[in-house]
Amino acid sequence: MQDNTSRVALVTGGSRGIGRACVLALARDGFDVAFCYRADDEAARQVEKEAGQFGVRVVSRRADVADGQAVRSFVEEAEDTLGPVDAAVTAAGITRDNPLVLMDDDQWHQVVDTNLDGVYHLCRAVVFSMMKRRTGAIVNISSVAGVYGHASQSNYSATKAGIIGFSRSLAKEVGRSGIRVNAVAPGFIDTDMVAAMNDKARKDITRTIPLRRMGRAEEVGDLVAYLVSDKAEYITGSVLQIDGGITI
Ligand code: NAP
């Protein structure tokens, strides 16, 4: 990619947390952005407004990433409104934690359908057009749980490890077409996803992080914006951890 002027980015799960931070960072860097979310219309309108202040076009719509047709419609509508897609970021994700011995089928399938099928659906919907234009950058949000595992998150970790295998395979497939594919593996980032933790659990976790704090969604947004920019044009197939050192 040459520069970020008048380019188009798609983000899943852009209404809150890390996805929201990606929308804002990409808008700041000059991308027109389309994002989808599942249910929270009010949060989405707010993000549209905030990101629009960077002087770019920002549109959003509900689309459940587990639903392939909904994702295809999201992509088609975005291309009709903004133009061909240069960058795609898959941030939509959920947790349904339980030790495996207590896990039920719904907890397993909801997480797989959203976190893993969701990545497949978006990448499948954008890749052919990127190949034809011989340009594109994809960033899939994994997790350190997908690299190292996490107790009571066998469902979540399986999807996040799957995202890494998927991203590396796709990077090998489409590199010759000028498309880069990377995964970002955050540690504990202070979003709604970790807000359910009580104070003691937060303190216990923070003690295990060498930098002694949770990450900020904006820090992940900045990394994603870097990865889709021309500054990262020799980076593909990588898994970039952003975790305050928790895994060392
Ligand atoms: P979050 O604050 O809970 O936000 C999740 C976002 O995804 C929301 O915009 C939500 O939209 C959207 N979403 C959820 N299910 C969806 C679906 N089926 N279809 C479309 N959109 C959907 O989560 P987060 O902490 O920012 O996490 C974002 C990503 O980073 C996830 O993939 C997560 O696994 C990963 N991650 C997070 C952490 C962390 O510590 N926070 C660490 C590692 C990896 P609605 O509000 O409309 O439901």
Side-chain angles (χ1 to χ4, degrees), residues 103-159:
M103 190 167 293
D104 62 40
D105 291 355
D106 278 351
Q107 289 172 323
W108 176 266
H109 288 297
Q110 281 172 15
V111 171
V112 172
D113 293 354
T114 300
N115 295 9
L116 193 53
D117 288 15
V119 169
Y120 158 70
H121 289 146
L122 188 79
C123 293
R124 178 66 186 86
V126 299
V127 76
F128 187 46
S129 139
M130 285 180 172
M131 287 169 81
K132 282 192 287 190
R133 296 175 59 234
R134 302 194 62 77
T135 182
I138 295 172
V139 180
N140 296 317
I141 306 295
S142 175
S143 166
V144 293
V147 184
Y148 301 94
H150 200 258
S152 298
Q153 287 197 318
S154 59
N155 52 355
Y156 181 78
S157 302
T159 64

Side-chain angles (χ1 to χ4, degrees), residues 73-236:
S73 300
F74 162 60
V75 173
E76 278 164 23
E77 197 176 288
E79 285 178 331
D80 286 349
T81 313
L82 302 178
V85 176
D86 299 289
V89 180
T90 59
I94 57 168
T95 52
R96 297 287 182 269
D97 297 354
N98 227 343
L100 190 64
V101 70
L102 297 175
M103 190 167 293
D104 62 40
D105 291 355
D106 278 351
Q107 289 172 323
W108 176 266
H109 288 297
Q110 281 172 15
V111 171
V112 172
D113 293 354
T114 300
N115 295 9
L116 193 53
D117 288 15
V119 169
Y120 158 70
H121 289 146
L122 188 79
C123 293
R124 178 66 186 86
V126 299
V127 76
F128 187 46
S129 139
M130 285 180 172
M131 287 169 81
K132 282 192 287 190
R133 296 175 59 234
R134 302 194 62 77
T135 182
I138 295 172
V139 180
N140 296 317
I141 306 295
S142 175
S143 166
V144 293
V147 184
Y148 301 94
H150 200 258
S152 298
Q153 287 197 318
S154 59
N155 52 355
Y156 181 78
S157 302
T159 64
K160 295 300 179 178
I163 286 170
I164 292 171
F166 175 91
S167 303
R168 285 179 170 154
S169 300
L170 187 58
K172 285 190 172 178
E173 263 176 51
V174 298
R176 76 186 77 170
S177 301
I179 303 166
R180 297 182 298 102
V181 187
N182 290 289
V184 165
F188 285 95
I189 308 298
D190 205 355
T191 68
D192 294 344
M193 189 175 266
V194 298
M197 249 178 229
N198 63 36
D199 278 355
K200 180 172 179 318
R202 285 176 84 92
K203 273 190 192 140
D204 288 348
I205 280 166
T206 304
R207 260 197 294 273
T208 67
I209 303 173
L211 292 182
R212 290 293 187 276
R213 65 171 177 86
M214 290 197 181
R216 292 185 288 273
E218 293 70 27
E219 292 170 317
V220 184
D222 284 343
L223 177 57
V224 169
Y226 165 74
L227 281 173
V228 304
S229 78
D230 57 332
K231 293 189 185 112
E233 63 187 6
Y234 202 55
I235 303 179
T236 195

Side-chain angles (χ1 to χ4, degrees), residues 15-16 18 38-40 63-65 91 142 156 160 187 189 191:
S15 59
R16 291 188 292 114
I18 290 170
R38 184 183 42 187
D40 194 340
D64 183 344
V65 293
S142 175
Y156 181 78
K160 295 300 179 178
I189 308 298
T191 68

